[in-house]
Amino acid sequence: MEKAFYITTPIYYVNDRPHIGHASTTVWADVQARYQRLRGRRTFFLTGLDEHGIKVQQAAEKRGLPPQQHCDEMAPHFLALWKALNISQDDFVRTTEPRHKAVVQRFLAELHSKGAIYRKKYHGWYSKAAEQFVTEKEKVNGQFPAHLGEVVELEEENYFFRMSDHQEWLIRHIQEHPDWIQPSNRRNEILGALQKPLEDLCISRPKARLAWGIPLPFDPEYVTYVWVDALVNYISVPGYGTERFASFWPADFHLIAKDILTTHTVYWPTMLHAVGIPMPNRILAHGWWLMEREKMSKSLGNIISPQDYIEKYGADALRYFICRELQLANDTDFTEERFLRRFNADLANDLGNLVNRSLSMVHRYRQGNAPGRGAAGAVEEEICKLAAATFDAYHPAMESIAYSTALEAVWKLIARANRYVEETAPWKLAKDPAAASRLDAVLRLLTEISAALAYLVSPFMPDTAAKITNQLAIRDLTESRLRTLDLLSDGHALGPPAPLFPRQSASDCAASRAK
Ligand code: MSP
């Protein structure tokens, strides 16, 4: 079987409901999955939930619920949001599922049998908030940084993974595969961190201290460290240890944000390497959404609720904004003002207006039938060339998840087409019987451009693409003919026109602060 194009998101903690940050990585992955399907590739898009560990246990305790019940109550919130956002995941994993637990145990047993795990007594500092052991080296001015929360002294025996054995190999792998960690500032950050000796990784928690986890297969008095448990989801779902695994793995993209870079580019690859599993192809870490220059996070209480935006502006507008504005290498401020600017300028004025007036004119002047090519000339030829160039710029940008670059190229075509409407003034041509053939040319080109746009925006805005194809009464978006603006046949009957994005005014919605 053809190997699937395999893309993942982080699996999100169920200590709280999803916010715009979670929605953003999931939308980015969804756009890629839809794009790959559009190109005809077998695609496997995985997302899910990270349900073990201290954070989830504490969240359940706070609600006075057993942890499993807490997880069972949280999962529907994520699934409902993904549905509202038109997320097309092929599978949804919860780490409390037996299919996942079995692979975590198998993976740990393999690490153990290869001698990659040992037991030792540890005495030192432990951050409850970060759920990790910390060292004196992390102190700044004699204090542990605030994000580590309460740091306590701890003495306990634990199991450790010999991560340090893989340091040289990891550095070499990063150097030999320049695109493996993207963007390059993150790659450099990891290479910089790897100049210091890599320590071994504590992979267990004594059951007496934390019961909510997967028992170690070789010592049931311990549960698996939540990060080891969570990372294994990427191989448990595609069936590590079974025949079908080879038709999924390696993942083409692990999509994450920069907060979980080390776990994905150091812990995960070294564990895979120790077991002898091939590396994922690319790990791409985007920047954060900020609110007033601070990271948006539940603990800071500055959360944007995706539901508010979906209800008010529609899922497509939010998806578009996330892909157009969230940056790869830097952090980005999320404001409703910025959102509205994009909505009104890009969606209502540019795209919506172009498609709506183009198709309305075909109805008004040609009874809703796509005219023949008529008296097409140099301008039409120039626009056809621009359309082909748009596809040529779009594909490589999409392949590398450079969404704002892809969208800029598409919007250049939209701007040119809107200018073309003004230049040719079809409403004037319609009054002149001698200009009938010229009007045919203009209306046909605008109809073809609308079809090309349906294709180009479809991974980002699937509802909008469907609205455009319905209005065009076309089903099949065959790319080779769209690229040359040559999809329709003369006389093709269009469906009824309808506006895509009604203009919005600034209002009170959106930035609902968490209580
Ligand atoms: N459970 C771990 C991930 C395990 S993956 C094997 C975890 N969960 S999380 O719920 O904290 O999600 C972190 C991820 O959520 C980030 O990497 C990013 O994908 C997304 N975001 C959370 N806050 C964000 C922003 N403020 N901005 C953009 N994305 C952010 O870590």
Side-chain angles (χ1 to χ4, degrees):
M1 195 194 282
E2 173 204 3
K3 184 193 138 359
F5 179 91
Y6 177 23
I7 184 160
T8 67
T9 73
I11 51 172
Y12 306 108
Y13 287 127
V14 290
N15 49 350
D16 222 312
R17 295 184 182 206
H19 63 66
I20 200 88
H22 308 123
S24 299
T25 315
T26 311
V27 164
W28 273 36
D30 185 63
V31 169
Q32 188 60 209
R34 286 177 182 274
Y35 172 73
Q36 294 295 339
R37 290 187 202 115
L38 190 65
R39 301 307 308 266
R41 286 185 74 179
R42 184 171 89 93
T43 299
F44 186 63
F45 165 23
L46 175 64
T47 186
L49 301 176
D50 191 352
E51 301 194 330
H52 290 126
I54 194 88
K55 283 187 195 182
V56 174
Q57 181 172 295
Q58 283 171 346
E61 273 164 15
K62 238 182 168 173
R63 296 179 65 214
L65 293 178
Q68 188 65 59
Q69 191 183 338
H70 166 80
C71 296
D72 292 347
E73 289 182 13
M74 292 305 292
H77 294 298
F78 285 84
L79 283 165
L81 178 60
W82 301 159
K83 187 156 185 251
L85 265 174
N86 257 321
I87 301 300
S88 62
Q89 73 272 10
D90 295 299
D91 205 334
F92 183 82
V93 62
R94 296 179 52 189
T95 52
T96 49
E97 289 174 78
R99 62 169 175 167
H100 171 73
K101 290 187 196 171
V103 177
V104 170
Q105 292 198 323
R106 180 193 175 112
F107 185 76
L108 284 169
E110 283 179 10
L111 277 175
H112 192 242
S113 70
K114 288 187 189 271
I117 289 176
Y118 64 96
R119 189 178 163 131
K120 114 180 152 180
K121 187 173 263 168
Y122 171 87
H123 180 186
W125 301 104
Y126 182 75
S127 151
K128 287 186 180 174
E131 213 175 316
Q132 69 190 32
F133 295 96
V134 292
T135 60
E136 291 285 336
K137 281 188 273 177
E138 280 156 87
K139 282 188 173 170
V140 182
N141 301 330
Q143 302 275 335
F144 285 112
H147 75 266
L148 292 176
E150 189 191 355
V151 176
V152 292
E153 220 179 334
L154 205 72
E155 183 179 270
E156 68 187 22
E157 274 197 34
N158 264 310
Y159 289 91
F160 288 78
F161 162 54
R162 297 184 196 279
M163 192 155 75
S164 55
D165 283 359
H166 303 274
Q167 177 158 15
E168 271 176 40
W169 164 81
L170 182 60
I171 294 172
R172 220 175 34 248
H173 188 81
I174 297 173
Q175 284 169 340
E176 285 170 4
H177 301 84
D179 292 334
W180 190 54
I181 302 173
Q182 293 179 27
S184 57
N185 56 341
R186 301 291 162 231
R187 175 176 181 264
N188 294 338
E189 198 178 303
I190 290 295
L191 277 175
L194 285 170
Q195 290 191 342
K196 284 191 227 148
L198 199 55
E199 307 210 352
D200 289 345
L201 179 68
C202 178
I203 55 130
S204 65
R205 299 292 183 261
K207 239 186 195 161
R209 187 157 68 75
L210 172 70
W212 187 232
I214 301 174
L216 294 184
F218 43 84
D219 189 341
E221 289 311 304
Y222 287 82
V223 299
T224 310
Y225 171 43
V226 67
W227 265 105
V228 175
D229 170 348
L231 288 160
V232 170
N233 93 88
Y234 300 136
I235 58 168
S236 69
V237 177
Y240 175 63
T242 68
E243 225 170 82
R244 71 189 173 93
F245 186 62
S247 68
F248 295 94
W249 192 260
D252 290 84
F253 272 113
H254 285 323
L255 273 194
I256 57 171
K258 64 179 190 180
D259 48 333
I260 51 177
L261 188 68
T262 305
T263 50
H264 281 78
T265 59
V266 181
Y267 297 7
W268 182 226
T270 52
M271 286 192 292
L272 288 170
H273 188 242
V275 174
I277 300 173
M279 289 303 112
N281 289 339
R282 280 159 296 182
I283 302 148
L284 183 136
H286 61 68
W288 284 335
W289 282 120
L290 305 181
M291 274 283 278
E292 287 145 22
R293 282 173 285 285
E294 284 215 75
K295 187 194 175 201
M296 192 184 296
S297 77
K298 187 70 192 178
S299 46
L300 293 172
N302 59 355
I303 304 285
I304 295 270
S305 151
Q307 279 89 353
D308 288 347
Y309 277 76
I310 297 170
E311 273 165 34
K312 189 135 186 245
Y313 305 107
D316 275 5
L318 181 58
R319 291 172 61 103
Y320 174 76
F321 184 74
I322 287 169
C323 294
R324 185 70 187 72
E325 289 277 334
L326 179 65
Q327 292 181 38
L328 184 59
N330 301 304
D331 296 339
T332 316
D333 254 320
F334 193 114
T335 68
E336 187 172 16
E337 194 198 339
R338 200 162 179 172
F339 182 93
L340 276 174
R341 230 183 297 138
R342 281 282 173 208
F343 187 100
N344 285 327
D346 299 6
L347 300 180
N349 280 0
D350 295 345
L351 174 63
N353 190 29
L354 174 67
V355 172
N356 193 238
R357 63 180 172 166
S358 298
L359 304 188
S360 299
M361 286 191 294
V362 177
H363 282 274
R364 199 170 313 133
Y365 305 130
R366 292 292 180 265
Q367 293 77 48
N369 298 315
R373 303 234 154 239
V379 188
E380 285 72 27
E381 201 178 306
E382 172 225 312
I383 292 180
C384 282
K385 277 197 189 137
L386 177 64
T390 304
F391 278 89
D392 293 345
Y394 177 85
H395 288 307
M398 291 302 285
E399 292 284 354
S400 56
I401 314 202
Y403 294 148
S404 56
T405 307
L407 288 168
E408 268 165 32
V410 176
W411 256 255
K412 229 195 236 168
L413 177 64
I414 296 174
R416 180 66 190 96
N418 268 322
R419 232 173 42 243
Y420 174 69
V421 176
E422 300 305 322
E423 285 163 9
T424 54
W427 46 92
K428 285 190 192 152
L429 296 174
K431 288 188 188 139
D432 176 4
S437 172
R438 187 72 200 117
L439 181 60
D440 280 352
V442 174
L443 294 179
R444 173 62 178 267
L445 187 68
L446 289 172
T447 312
E448 295 280 358
I449 289 174
S450 300
L453 290 173
Y455 175 98
L456 294 166
V457 304
S458 64
F460 299 98
M461 297 189 280
D463 283 342
T464 303
K467 282 185 194 161
I468 302 175
T469 51
N470 280 340
Q471 293 179 38
L472 287 165
I474 53 174
R475 283 230 189 102
D476 180 29
L477 293 170
T478 311
E479 202 239 321
S480 61
R481 299 187 55 191
L482 286 165
R483 188 178 173 281
T484 48
L485 300 183
D486 186 24
L487 183 76
L488 304 168
S489 42
D490 295 359
H492 172 83
L494 305 188
L500 297 176
F501 295 100
R503 264 187 86 86
Q504 299 284 337
S505 55
S507 79
D508 49 354
C509 156
S512 66
R513 297 206 161 238
K515 315 238 152 46

